[in-house]
Amino acid sequence: YNAFIEAFDATNVTCILHHVFGFDTKKLSNFLKILKGKSNIYFWVHDYCTSCISYTLLREDLHQCKSPSLNSIYCEFCIYGDERKRHTNSMKLITKISSITFVYPSKSAYENAQEGYSTIPKESKSIILPHVKLKDPKLRKRKINTRHHNLRIAFIGSPVHHKGWEEFNLLTKIPKISNCIDWYHYGKGVVPKT
C-alpha cells in the first residue's frame, strides 16, 4: 500500500468504488484524499453498505428495515445492530470526502439513501444511472408470431432470497402456467435442476 501511494500519480485518474467490504476504510480514505481535486471519484451505491453492514437492509436477514436511525429499537434486536454502529463510523471516513460522486442504480435506491439513515451527506453530488436495458431496434419493427411458442421468462442474477428467487422458483412450480412458459436462469449460484 505505502509503496503504491509513493509511486502514484493522482492526476487524471477515474476511481470507481464498487464496494468497500474487506477493505481497510482508513487506508482507502487516505488514498481517496490523495485523489481529491485531481481525479474523478465515483462510489457505486448498488447496495446499502453506507447505511448498514447488512447491505440488503434486511433485519435478521428476513424483514426490510429501511435503515432506521442508529438508536432505533429495531437495531437493538437485529443481529447486525451492534456491528452497524462500528461499520457506519468506518464508512464515514470514505463518504465524507467531498469530491465523491455517488451513483445509484434507481430512483428508489437514491430516495432510500436520502430518507433512511445513511453516511452519505445529503448535499453530495449524486447521479441516478439505471441498469442497462436490452433493446434491439429490429424487434420494434418486426411482428413476432407467438402462437406456437411458449413465453420465455428469465431470472437474471444470483438465486438468493433478497433478489426474489423464492418467488420466481414458486412460479415455475405452478402447473397451470408452467406448461406455457419456458423458465431460464442466467447467473451464478447453485440452482436445483428442474
Side-chain angles (χ1 to χ4, degrees):
Y1 171 83
N2 291 333
F4 179 73
I5 293 302
E6 286 172 18
F8 187 72
D9 176 13
T11 312
N12 293 324
V13 169
T14 297
C15 176
I16 301 172
L17 297 174
H18 182 261
H19 70 87
V20 295
F21 287 118
F23 290 93
D24 181 326
T25 49
K26 190 169 186 176
K27 286 183 178 178
L28 185 56
S29 68
N30 288 339
F31 176 67
L32 295 174
K33 285 174 188 169
I34 292 169
L35 297 179
K36 185 178 174 180
K38 302 176 188 175
S39 306
N40 296 314
I41 307 170
Y42 298 94
F43 191 124
W44 176 236
V45 190
H46 68 295
D47 59 27
Y48 298 107
C49 74
T50 61
S51 301
C52 184
I53 190 107
S54 172
Y55 58 87
T56 59
L57 295 186
L58 292 175
R59 189 175 68 247
E60 303 292 327
D61 289 331
L62 295 171
H63 307 287
Q64 182 60 244
C65 73
K66 294 226 175 226
S67 184
S69 73
L70 290 174
N71 300 323
S72 166
I73 192 166
Y74 295 111
C75 288
E76 289 181 29
F77 296 107
C78 181
I79 57 175
Y80 300 105
D82 291 336
E83 184 65 16
R84 182 179 183 211
K85 290 176 184 174
R86 189 211 56 78
H87 172 74
T88 53
N89 284 334
S90 71
M91 286 303 303
K92 286 178 187 176
L93 291 173
I94 296 167
T95 57
K96 72 178 184 182
I97 297 170
S98 61
S99 59
I100 294 178
T101 300
F102 295 91
V103 183
Y104 299 88
S106 67
K107 185 178 177 190
S108 63
Y110 170 78
E111 288 170 351
N112 192 67
Q114 295 297 306
E115 293 166 10
Y117 177 85
S118 178
T119 57
I120 300 172
K122 295 207 184 297
E123 66 278 358
S124 296
K125 293 180 279 182
S126 299
I127 298 171
I128 297 173
L129 185 65
H131 291 297
V132 174
K133 294 180 181 175
L134 300 175
K135 292 184 179 180
D136 185 345
K138 292 179 246 167
L139 292 177
R140 281 189 230 140
K141 297 173 188 171
R142 199 174 82 192
K143 288 187 179 180
I144 300 171
N145 181 357
T146 57
R147 277 184 291 160
H148 303 293
H149 301 285
N150 281 349
L151 177 65
R152 290 177 278 181
I153 298 177
F155 183 95
I156 301 172
S158 300
V160 289
H161 71 278
H162 65 273
K163 294 189 177 193
W165 175 255
E166 278 88 3
E167 290 79 5
F168 178 82
N169 198 25
L170 181 67
L171 286 172
T172 67
K173 293 177 175 33
I174 299 172
K176 281 185 180 179
I177 61 170
S178 250
N179 296 332
C180 58
I181 298 174
D182 293 331
W183 302 97
Y184 298 89
H185 172 244
Y186 297 102
K188 290 184 178 179
V190 178
V191 179
K193 292 183 179 179
T194 57

